[in-house]
Amino acid sequence: MLEEILITARHNPKVDPILGIWTWEISVYLFLGGLTAGIIIFVALMNLLEKNDSHSFSANRLALWAPVVLSVGMTTLFLDLEHKLYVFRFYTTLEPTSPMSWGAWVLMIIYPVSLLQIFSTFRKGYPMLSGFFERIPFASMLVDLSERNIKVISWIAIPSAVALGIYTGVLLSAFNARPFWNTGLLGPLFLVSGMSTAAAFIVLFAKDHSEKRTFTRFDLGLIAVEIVLIMLWLINLATGSEQQLQALEYLTQGGGYAVAFWGGFFLLGLLVPLFVEFIDLLHGNRTLAILGPVLVLLGGYTLRHITINLGQETTWQEYDSSYSVEALERVNKYYDSGLN
Amino acid sequence: MTIKYAMVIDTLTCIGCGDCVVACKTENKTPVGLNRDWVVEATRGTWPDLRTEFRSERCNHCSNATCVTLCPTGASHYWRDSNIVLVEANKCTGCKACIAACPYDARLIMHPDGYIDKCTFCHHRVEKGLDPACVSTCPTQCMYFGILNDPGSKVSQLLRTRNYKVLMKETGNEPNVYYLT
Amino acid sequence: MDRREFIKVSSLTAAAVAVPSIFLTGCSQQTRPGDGKVSATPTVCDICFWKCAGHVYSENGNPWKVVGNPQDLHSNGRFCTRGTGGLGAYLDKDRLKKPLLRTVGKNGRQTFREVSWDEALDVIAQRMQQIADEHGADRFAMLSHGAGASHFKNLLKGYGAATFTAPSYAQCRGPREVAFNLTYGEGVGSPDRTDMEHSRCIVLIGSHIGENLHNGQVQTLTRALENGASLITVDPRFSVPASKSKHWLPIRPGTDIALLLAWMNVLIEEDLFDRDYIEQYATGFDELAQHVQQFPPEWAYLQTGLKPSLIRETAREMAKNAPATLVHPGRHTTWYGDDTQRERAIAILNALLGSWGRPGGFYMQDKVKLPKYPLPDYPKPKSTFKAAHGSDYPFASQAVSNAVIDASIGEDAHYKGWLVYGTNLPMTVPGIRNKLKQAADALDLIVVIDTMPAEITGYADVILPECTYLERYDDLRNAAERKPSLALRMPAFEPKYDSKPGWWMAKQLGERLGLQKYFPWKDYSEVLDWQLKKVGSSLEEMQKVGVKNFPRKRPMYFQAGEARHFKTPSGKIEIYSQRLAEQGFDPLPNYTPPAARPENYYHLNYGRMPAHTFSRTTNNPLLFQLAPENALWVNPQVAKQWGLVNGEPVQLQNQDGVVSNPIRLRVTERIGPDSVFMAHGFGHRSKRMRLTHGLGADDSDLMTNVLIDPIMGATGMRGNFVTFIKVETEHPVHA
Ligand SMILES: Nc1nc2c(c(=O)[nH]1)N[C@H]1C(S)=C(S)[C@@H](COP(=O)(O)OP(=O)(O)OC[C@H]3O[C@@H](n4cnc5c(=O)[nH]c(N)nc54)[C@H](O)[C@@H]3O)O[C@H]1N2
Ligand SMILES: Nc1nc2c(c(=O)[nH]1)N[C@H]1C(S)=C(S)[C@@H](COP(=O)(O)OP(=O)(O)OC[C@H]3O[C@@H](n4cnc5c(=O)[nH]c(N)nc54)[C@H](O)[C@@H]3O)O[C@H]1N2
Ligand code: SF4
Ligand code: SF4
Ligand code: SF4
Ligand code: SF4
Ligand code: SF4
Ligand SMILES: [Mo]
């Protein structure tokens, strides 16, 4: 037998016994980042295809959601930082080898882009609001300008949004130290998943029936692609390093994440909505039309959540400590106590 | 990287006493409950034919440190022109990417103030020509510290004349803590 | 990293200035250790009794670190784990803070009341006087451990007491010292006079050096290993040294004498022993040769479970390297009640190898002739410590702690008062708790002087809080060693809280008892300065250097063929001991099989863990962070048989039904299926020690079967067996 244990107590918060540095804040951030990317892409597409009349929600009203959704995500990201006062440090440098650094800058591009998308669709989407807005000097000029360049804006929006979507995955896949994340497929997967959640979002909130149907079709396609990518990801792990094989065990039966992943995400988040949305396309059923997209959105979050948690559990080496954690926790109580 | 500092630890004489851990704790005034180094005991076989190895572990000050490459702010950096990996607190956002980036889970200390604290190879002592605290305290003297690209240094000699290993070569991080076996 | 490399660094770093500034900013903004104002004060470590000398560093007035003094032979500039964590003793928030006096609280229950030093000292002096008047001062005993006790020895000798006992005798080295005295006319002493750094072959009987962290032992054993010496470890557990050994002999517990006799048998049968050495220096060889004929390896195999071939091979290995072969005498030798005889066997085996007085065996110590500070003679006590146990333990060369406790129970008990200094008796003397309770009921006065609210303080009438070794002067360290040397312990910090140094307490009590003539000085530093000046140094010098080594006055080893007179009746190494024979003991060691292990019970094995010293450091906040509890080592087969998993807490029940605290399992191959193992010093009951209380189990609780050595009264601790009781309440931490 091989017994490999820590014989000097080690109980480092967020690291022992298993890595737990990132929790819901990051999952939410990645989820909303992907959703934002999807939203911006669809807004751009619809405007390039000039669907402003037939698909008025996605073409005209949707743009406003991007910065809102993204800002919520940015907030949870900020909540995760342990040294908050120094958040500005993201923007005093560009670290070429760090996806996170690139991501920070991509986010800085996304905001202006999505603002321009809003301006260029403001009058059509929110006549009243834009009315008020244009009382501000130069505002109407800005709106005119963006409306006139809407195609250019869309052509800029798409690549930056794709970058954002892919980044939410690459951020993780860059960690060679976390076998479960360490695969090139995470980028595309999170992009597609992001677009799928955006499509679902539209299906939920679009009024126009034909628009709903278009995006349900989109979504079906995206879910299909997503399933393929996930399969590739797992095959990739199965054929990967020893550590990646161990990582995979979390998903195979008996593994700690098997139920969550296959039941919670794969079945309820992909297969069921695939089926439901398909039925809805054939027979048009009100409840299904809501159920499908809701499941897709939940599935989208579940995917991030599982990826974040499971990824941190997978590591190159695992030591068992020969001492109990409870015992060590006495130290902090002892030091916090008044006496000295 | 013109200077390559290395730590060489002789597992044949290491007794797993943990002195290196306490020495680091006091020398570097590490926060309550947190240590920059730790000791592993690895036993193979079944009673009564057994082999036990003791290893004092810490940051490997990798020549290809993924914690540095993935740090978004440059807070994780190489000290001067060497492989000593340090964190500059006032550049650190506490995003913890470096913790996730370390295949050795050596990026251990989340300082209570929110920045990352880690083994520094005691650069404050190295600068003065002293061994790191753990090395200079180890009662068995099974730890050695020196410059690898100086062929005359004790560490170079040891690696020339003794069998050794590093932890998980496969990570590609090129660790610089060596274990004599 | 040596100097030359340093030069290289600086030149390289100079070159490095060229690199982009982002690298250079480094941590320059962050202050680094040692940037501030640093000061260093000499000390002698008191975390264990190896007494290493070093320096206590402060930075900007804050305690920083404790580091060994490179001039010091005990530490060679490197403190052990515990010594490095020594600051924790000073920083411990749970320390005793004020004198405490036992009083009856409103609710009628007894409690401790914080009192002034004057009140505490008055009470003690008044009751000591009473004891002296009513029964005689010789009926007052001191139970102590550690250097600081000397101040109270001085007080009590002046007072007229005759009984001074320490657990380092009857719970530790006693059997070894008696056996070596019987054989060589000299003990092994402390630091143990083993010359391991020059050994070619080292044999450890138990002696888990590496877990046992006596600094010089660890360091010299390591040097030997580096020099390619072959290590033979006899241990039923795969100890740390076993893992470094050429030969590990996993012996059946309690059968060592059989192995030792078989080894002698081989050395003599195969004529591998040092005939010249024996002929010149020893008596009784023929009786031995006669005696061991009956004990061939084949016989020993049946007792020890060790293959005859292995016994022969290891015997030859020893002979091959003799006289640079050390059969280590061990230190904690109170095992099975026949310990003096086992140590005799070890002493004799060393004689056969000719290692006593030879390089790589046992060296001859030397120490500084340090004059005593002139004091008036002490009064002659009315009785000696023997009064306690009469004709028992004829070879006890000093009072036996357990005998003293026995003689303190009951109305007509011999002893009427105790001063307990620096020893945590309830955890130190095996299975003693009930007796302590009875003694406490009978005694007129128990004074406990300690730094921590350890269990022993619960038995006290008066508790005096001593400041730690980092806050006080004590006697100079003047140990018999490789080189004569002196080391200074001086205050690095002001005493915390309302604690005081021992010398001050002793002086205060002396004045209250009319014994001021034994304390003719204001501050103890005057005594040290006087002594130092007599040997050509001074307190001032020592405050600078901390350690001063002197040249040897006598050779370290026997000279070739040199005639020697040993301090034994025969003037020779006494292989056959007439003295033992006269007292009706075996003049040559005999083997008595240990008690058989009851079914479903396991040998209770215990020992050290590197991070702690007995029960005294488990609440040390620095060392606690290294090892907060002890674990119970259990063989995987046994765990399986009992359905126990790693990390699961269990309780142990011994052969007499005594049940331990819960202790977590460590399932490991390093312990055999017939035993369990735990480190001593855990399972504290004192709630006032907030970190350690209730964590882990206390081996001494389970030691109700105490095997007393009839020769000198030591308390054998290894005759106990335990079985498991599952703990339902808690869940395994790391299954
Ligand atoms: N870290 C640390 N070091 C210490 C101390 C401490 O408190 N902490 N205390 C110091 C003191 S005062 C002393 S006396 C020493 C004690 O340290 P040692 O003198 O080394 O103590 P031993 O009891 O000889 O060694 C314990 C070993 O004996 C083995 N053993 C158990 N039963 C038997 C048996 O029947 N036969 C044989 N051959 N071996 C057996 C155990 O498995 C264990 O490995 O340690 C000193 N060093
Ligand atoms: N069950 C069991 N019993 C054993 C042993 C074992 O292995 N198992 N080992 C035996 C051996 S080898 C030995 S040497 C003895 C050791 O026996 P002890 O010396 O009694 O061991 P400790 O538990 O360290 O108790 C020391 C006490 O001194 C106090 N103290 C510490 N520093 C100071 C100080 O500076 N001043 C004063 N006044 N008090 C201080 C501590 O708080 C503690 O209460 O134990 C023996 N008993
Ligand atoms: S101090 Fe030295 S011997 Fe002790 S554990 Fe550390 S490296 Fe090993
Ligand atoms: S061991 Fe980990 S923390 Fe240290 S340099 Fe390598 S990657 Fe960075
Ligand atoms: S936590 Fe600090 S050091 Fe680590 S990656 Fe983030 S910014 Fe860099
Ligand atoms: S090199 Fe310095 S910082 Fe690193 S573990 Fe050793 S003592 Fe600690
Ligand atoms: S051996 Fe360790 S604990 Fe004992 S005196 Fe030396 S340094 Fe202190
Ligand atoms: Mo001892």
Side-chain angles (χ1 to χ4, degrees):
Chain A
M1 99 171 208
L2 171 63
E3 180 195 26
E4 229 177 5
I5 54 163
L6 287 159
I7 53 169
T8 54
R10 201 180 87 178
H11 178 37
N12 296 313
K14 298 183 159 61
V15 177
D16 297 316
I18 46 162
L19 210 63
I21 51 173
W22 290 332
T23 52
W24 67 270
E25 295 93 340
I26 298 298
S27 323
V28 169
Y29 160 67
L30 294 183
F31 170 66
L32 296 181
L35 179 54
T36 311
I39 289 176
I40 294 176
I41 290 170
F42 284 129
V43 172
L45 272 178
M46 290 302 110
N47 281 287
L48 284 173
L49 302 171
E50 300 178 354
K51 297 275 186 205
N52 304 71
D53 305 331
S54 58
H55 296 62
S56 58
F57 176 73
S58 47
N60 308 337
R61 300 177 65 86
L62 184 60
L64 191 60
W65 286 94
V68 178
V69 172
L70 185 58
S71 303
V72 176
M74 294 284 279
T75 315
T76 63
L77 173 62
F78 179 73
L79 287 179
D80 174 74
L81 296 182
E82 308 273 348
H83 215 205
K84 295 193 168 47
L85 290 180
Y86 293 79
V87 60
F88 71 92
R89 283 300 193 171
F90 280 111
Y91 298 106
T92 56
T93 172
L94 173 76
E95 295 296 321
T97 57
S98 163
M100 234 191 219
S101 182
W102 285 102
W105 287 108
V106 167
L107 290 167
M108 284 303 104
I109 300 169
I110 289 294
Y111 272 103
V113 168
S114 76
L115 277 183
L116 289 174
Q117 277 194 320
I118 294 173
F119 294 144
S120 57
T121 59
F122 218 19
R123 289 188 183 133
K124 302 189 212 69
Y126 304 87
M128 277 253 296
L129 267 182
S130 68
F132 290 119
F133 175 68
E134 289 179 42
R135 301 223 181 107
I136 305 166
F138 305 112
S140 48
M141 256 178 64
L142 200 65
V143 175
D144 292 334
L145 201 71
S146 348
E147 275 190 340
R148 248 180 280 115
N149 298 297
I150 185 153
K151 289 252 155 58
V152 186
I153 293 173
S154 304
W155 281 121
I156 301 172
I158 291 175
S160 18
V162 168
L164 173 61
I166 289 185
Y167 151 71
T168 60
V170 171
L171 169 65
L172 300 181
S173 59
F175 289 103
N176 153 18
R178 304 297 143 202
F180 185 69
W181 293 343
N182 190 14
T183 151
L185 288 154
L186 231 48
L189 175 62
F190 277 28
L191 172 64
V192 174
S193 158
M195 290 176 67
S196 156
T197 52
F201 184 83
I202 296 167
V203 176
L204 270 184
F205 294 103
K207 301 226 169 16
D208 180 279
H209 190 65
S210 70
E211 186 173 12
K212 281 181 184 285
R213 290 181 65 83
T214 320
F215 280 93
T216 311
R217 269 196 226 89
F218 274 147
D219 204 18
L220 286 173
L222 288 162
I223 294 176
V225 178
E226 205 176 334
I227 292 176
V228 174
L229 286 171
I230 288 187
M231 287 311 161
L232 289 174
W233 179 18
L234 299 187
I235 292 165
N236 189 307
L237 287 176
T239 57
S241 68
E242 179 196 338
Q243 286 77 14
Q244 290 184 307
L245 282 169
Q246 287 169 1
L248 200 55
E249 285 169 14
Y250 286 85
L251 297 183
T252 50
Q253 37 104 265
Y257 285 80
V259 178
F261 185 83
W262 295 110
F265 168 62
F266 200 76
L267 183 64
L268 291 179
L270 293 176
L271 295 185
V272 172
L274 189 72
F275 177 73
V276 167
E277 290 186 347
F278 186 68
I279 300 298
D280 173 43
L281 268 187
L282 297 184
H283 310 296
N285 168 315
R286 280 188 140 285
T287 42
L288 290 188
I290 295 174
L291 180 65
V294 168
L295 285 175
V296 168
L297 286 164
L298 290 176
Y301 176 74
T302 317
L303 171 63
R304 271 72 174 182
H305 192 85
I306 292 173
T307 313
I308 285 292
N309 290 4
L310 199 169
Q312 293 181 81
E313 285 195 36
T314 62
T315 153
W316 285 71
Q317 60 184 157
E318 287 170 74
Y319 295 137
D320 200 349
S321 170
S322 40
Y323 303 112
S324 92
V325 167
E326 294 92 328
L328 282 164
E329 272 152 7
R330 288 192 184 191
V331 176
N332 300 310
K333 284 237 304 291
Y334 170 91
Y335 276 97
D336 297 344
S337 70
L339 280 167
N340 50 17
Chain B
M1 202 173 285
T2 56
I3 317 175
K4 203 156 154 198
Y5 292 103
M7 195 176 280
V8 174
I9 301 173
D10 190 343
T11 61
L12 299 186
T13 46
C14 173
I15 54 174
C17 68
D19 202 358
C20 42
V21 180
V22 186
C24 177
K25 184 154 202 59
T26 51
E27 169 72 23
N28 294 300
K29 306 169 183 173
T30 59
V32 171
L34 302 179
N35 296 320
R36 294 174 175 184
D37 54 346
W38 57 94
V39 180
V40 173
E41 175 191 315
T43 302
R44 253 172 227 292
T46 45
W47 174 274
D49 45 62
L50 298 164
R51 283 187 60 254
T52 293
E53 170 181 285
F54 296 96
R55 279 197 316 261
S56 170
E57 297 187 0
R58 67 205 22 72
C59 166
N60 288 287
H61 295 274
C62 307
S63 302
N64 175 19
T66 42
C67 63
V68 172
T69 46
L70 291 179
C71 171
T73 67
S76 284
H77 64 281
Y78 286 112
W79 180 59
R80 303 209 173 140
D81 199 10
S82 79
N83 60 307
I84 293 184
V85 171
L86 300 177
V87 174
E88 189 172 344
N90 56 24
K91 278 192 185 165
C92 175
T93 61
C95 71
K96 305 177 238 85
C98 54
I99 296 183
C102 174
Y104 300 98
D105 289 339
R107 231 358 151 80
L108 285 167
I109 304 186
M110 191 74 245
H111 193 285
D113 296 347
Y115 61 86
I116 294 295
D117 182 301
K118 68 180 286 297
C119 165
T120 60
F121 258 179
C122 284
H123 67 304
H124 66 286
R125 290 173 59 90
V126 172
E127 212 171 32
K128 301 185 182 114
L130 301 168
D131 277 335
C134 52
V135 175
S136 67
T137 306
C138 171
T140 63
Q141 298 185 48
C142 72
M143 309 174 85
Y144 306 84
F145 184 84
I147 297 175
L148 216 47
N149 38 18
D150 166 5
S153 68
K154 180 79 181 170
V155 287
S156 304
Q157 286 167 12
L158 284 166
L159 295 190
R160 268 201 309 277
T161 55
R162 294 273 308 266
N163 300 333
Y164 66 87
K165 65 177 179 189
V166 295
L167 296 180
M168 295 180 301
K169 230 175 181 324
E170 323 82 83
T171 63
N173 278 34
E174 297 172 36
N176 289 302
V177 176
Y178 299 80
Y179 295 93
L180 303 176
T181 54
Chain C
M1 182 158 71
D2 59 36
R3 219 65 203 161
R4 184 179 46 69
E5 286 180 58
F6 173 44
I7 309 297
K8 209 156 179 313
V9 188
S10 45
S11 61
L12 282 168
T13 44
V17 178
V19 309
S21 63
I22 165 176
F23 289 101
L24 278 183
T25 50
C27 286
S28 44
Q29 288 89 335
Q30 279 149 281
T31 58
R32 309 181 204 172
D35 284 352
K37 197 181 152 304
V38 174
S39 65
T41 318
T43 189
V44 173
C45 182
D46 200 31
I47 300 296
C48 89
F49 306 100
W50 199 254
K51 303 200 182 83
C52 301
H55 287 97
V56 186
Y57 285 79
S58 295
E59 181 169 11
N60 302 329
N62 304 319
W64 180 18
K65 59 180 175 180
V66 188
V67 177
N69 181 332
Q71 298 307 314
D72 173 39
L73 294 157
H74 295 227
S75 69
N76 180 30
R78 293 161 179 267
F79 270 16
C80 85
T81 315
R82 303 159 297 150
T84 305
L87 273 181
Y90 165 75
L91 296 170
D92 196 325
K93 295 176 164 202
D94 294 343
R95 280 171 57 173
L96 291 172
K97 301 182 177 66
K98 284 190 122 300
L100 297 170
L101 183 64
R102 182 182 294 272
T103 46
V104 180
K106 291 170 220 60
N107 52 10
R109 277 175 58 253
Q110 296 196 336
T111 59
F112 285 110
R113 179 167 59 88
E114 288 195 349
V115 296
S116 70
W117 276 99
D118 277 326
E119 184 173 357
L121 295 165
D122 290 341
V123 170
I124 296 169
Q126 175 261 331
R127 292 210 207 156
M128 281 178 74
Q129 197 55 60
Q130 217 167 1
I131 292 172
D133 300 343
E134 290 174 16
H135 310 281
D138 60 316
R139 312 282 291 275
F140 194 92
M142 173 159 125
L143 303 92
S144 74
H145 199 186
S150 62
H151 307 295
F152 298 92
K153 223 177 210 147
N154 177 34
L155 172 76
L156 292 180
K157 282 185 169 167
Y159 167 74
T163 306
F164 302 90
T165 176
S168 49
Y169 188 70
Q171 283 71 45
C172 179
R173 282 153 45 205
R176 177 186 86 177
E177 297 305 301
V178 170
F180 275 74
N181 262 300
L182 284 166
T183 315
Y184 294 99
E186 283 179 77
V188 175
S190 179
D192 317 64
R193 55 162 75 179
T194 51
D195 196 32
M196 281 192 279
E197 66 270 47
H198 300 116
S199 302
R200 301 297 311 144
C201 174
I202 296 170
V203 183
L204 299 177
I205 316 280
S207 296
H208 53 338
I209 298 167
E211 287 151 292
N212 156 355
L213 229 49
H214 268 174
N215 205 341
Q217 293 280 298
V218 170
Q219 297 197 23
T220 51
L221 175 61
T222 315
R223 292 292 81 70
L225 288 175
E226 280 176 352
N227 301 337
S230 50
L231 181 58
I232 299 168
T233 301
V234 182
D235 198 314
R237 182 183 64 106
F238 194 60
S239 66
V240 166
S243 75
K244 314 273 182 206
S245 295
K246 178 171 176 189
H247 299 285
W248 168 46
L249 283 55
I251 193 169
R252 214 171 272 151
T255 62
D256 295 83
I257 295 179
L259 172 64
L260 290 159
L261 291 169
W263 270 339
M264 296 189 219
N265 170 289
V266 175
L267 291 183
I268 294 171
E269 292 294 313
E270 300 188 7
D271 196 5
L272 298 172
F273 67 98
D274 191 331
R275 196 174 282 281
D276 303 345
Y277 183 93
I278 292 294
E279 279 171 0
Q280 184 177 12
Y281 297 127
T283 68
F285 173 76
D286 300 340
E287 291 86 337
L288 178 72
Q290 245 291 327
H291 179 65
V292 296
Q293 265 176 11
Q294 354 155 29
F295 308 119
E298 289 66 20
W299 164 83
Y301 171 58
L302 302 174
Q303 311 302 328
T304 61
L306 301 170
K307 292 212 176 50
S309 56
L310 183 57
I311 297 177
R312 287 205 166 76
E313 188 184 357
T314 45
R316 290 170 192 146
E317 178 88 44
M318 294 183 224
K320 192 178 88 210
N321 296 291
T325 293
L326 176 82
V327 183
H328 197 292
R331 184 154 175 133
H332 170 62
T333 51
T334 57
W335 295 2
Y336 296 96
D338 57 0
D339 304 305
T340 306
Q341 292 292 10
R342 186 184 66 254
E343 288 296 315
R344 275 268 300 154
I346 292 173
I348 296 165
L349 181 56
N350 277 295
L352 291 178
L353 295 162
S355 64
W356 182 268
R358 301 281 197 69
F362 296 82
Y363 64 80
M364 303 292 121
Q365 314 107 309
D366 204 350
K367 66 188 287 190
V368 179
K369 301 220 170 356
L370 192 66
K372 285 223 172 325
Y373 190 83
L375 293 175
D377 292 345
Y378 298 119
K380 186 173 182 316
K382 287 214 215 72
S383 68
T384 75
F385 71 86
K386 293 261 179 192
H389 48 80
S391 60
D392 296 354
Y393 324 138
F395 290 91
S397 54
Q398 56 167 272
V400 175
S401 46
N402 32 300
V404 170
I405 296 169
D406 288 338
S408 307
I409 295 172
E411 278 316 300
D412 53 355
H414 177 75
Y415 294 109
K416 296 299 170 190
W418 287 359
L419 186 149
V420 182
Y421 176 97
T423 176
N424 191 19
L425 299 170
M427 293 179 75
T428 295
V429 182
I432 203 67
R433 282 202 159 83
N434 294 338
K435 285 184 173 180
L436 270 181
K437 178 88 193 53
Q438 294 165 8
D441 293 342
L443 289 162
D444 299 344
L445 173 65
I446 300 181
V447 181
V448 172
I449 299 161
D450 207 302
T451 52
M452 293 296 296
E455 285 68 15
I456 183 63
T457 58
Y459 298 81
D461 298 300
V462 190
I463 304 170
L464 300 180
E466 186 171 36
C467 56
T468 64
Y469 68 106
L470 297 171
E471 304 158 285
R472 68 179 194 240
Y473 280 108
D474 273 320
D475 280 322
L476 293 159
R477 186 198 74 193
N478 179 21
E481 247 280 22
R482 290 172 178 72
K483 271 198 222 123
S485 84
L486 295 177
L488 173 69
R489 171 183 296 161
M490 66 178 285
F493 314 112
E494 281 300 303
K496 256 189 186 222
Y497 314 116
D498 198 6
S499 63
K500 300 274 187 195
W503 64 259
W504 181 90
M505 300 179 212
K507 181 173 160 64
Q508 289 291 320
L509 285 170
E511 285 163 3
R512 284 169 170 75
L513 286 160
L515 303 170
Q516 47 273 68
K517 61 175 189 269
Y518 297 104
F519 302 90
W521 33 263
K522 268 202 200 49
D523 188 292
Y524 201 69
S525 57
E526 298 165 32
V527 177
L528 305 180
D529 194 41
W530 182 90
Q531 288 181 296
L532 284 163
K533 292 210 164 92
K534 290 278 183 236
V535 292
S537 178
S538 69
L539 186 59
E540 198 189 354
E541 185 195 15
M542 288 302 283
Q543 287 175 338
K544 288 201 194 70
V545 297
V547 172
K548 194 173 165 83
N549 294 318
F550 296 76
R552 280 189 71 101
K553 292 261 167 26
R554 54 191 280 223
M556 201 160 154
Y557 310 107
F558 295 179
Q559 309 303 303
E562 167 195 7
R564 290 198 74 94
H565 180 87
F566 294 83
K567 300 192 202 67
T568 54
S570 62
K572 289 188 165 289
I573 299 172
E574 299 196 335
I575 293 177
Y576 178 94
S577 174
Q578 191 54 43
R579 279 186 287 173
L580 281 175
E582 283 159 7
Q583 295 288 341
F585 300 110
D586 293 341
L588 288 166
N590 268 313
Y591 169 71
T592 41
R597 177 167 64 99
E599 207 191 329
N600 290 332
Y601 280 76
Y602 304 87
H603 290 274
L604 173 63
N605 189 358
Y606 62 87
R608 308 289 171 247
M609 73 156 64
H612 289 289
T613 303
F614 314 118
S615 79
R616 76 201 291 149
T617 58
T618 52
N619 204 72
N620 170 315
L622 289 175
L623 297 174
F624 180 90
Q625 291 178 54
L626 205 63
E629 62 189 341
N630 60 353
L632 184 78
W633 294 28
V634 173
N635 181 279
Q637 290 177 31
V638 177
K640 195 146 164 289
Q641 179 197 330
W642 288 80
L644 299 167
V645 295
N646 195 34
E648 175 178 358
V650 293
Q651 286 178 289
L652 296 174
Q653 182 170 38
N654 79 353
Q655 69 283 336
D656 300 322
V658 176
V659 176
S660 78
N661 226 32
I663 178 172
R664 278 192 173 64
L665 283 191
R666 174 184 168 188
V667 177
T668 177
E669 295 283 355
R670 289 183 58 196
I671 182 92
D674 65 347
S675 312
V676 296
F677 174 86
M678 70 171 80
H680 165 62
F682 291 84
H684 279 275
R685 285 177 166 77
S686 169
K687 289 213 161 44
R688 292 173 294 165
M689 307 216 283
R690 287 173 297 162
L691 285 178
T692 191
H693 84 82
L695 287 181
D698 177 6
D699 56 342
S700 38
D701 272 353
L702 298 163
M703 295 176 172
T704 46
N705 179 29
V706 181
L707 305 169
I708 301 281
D709 186 329
I711 298 178
M712 48 65 68
T715 56
M717 304 183 187
R718 293 203 168 136
N720 294 276
F721 301 96
V722 293
T723 188
F724 304 100
I725 303 179
K726 273 183 158 268
V727 176
E728 309 303 348
T729 53
E730 276 175 88
H731 295 299
V733 215
H734 33 243

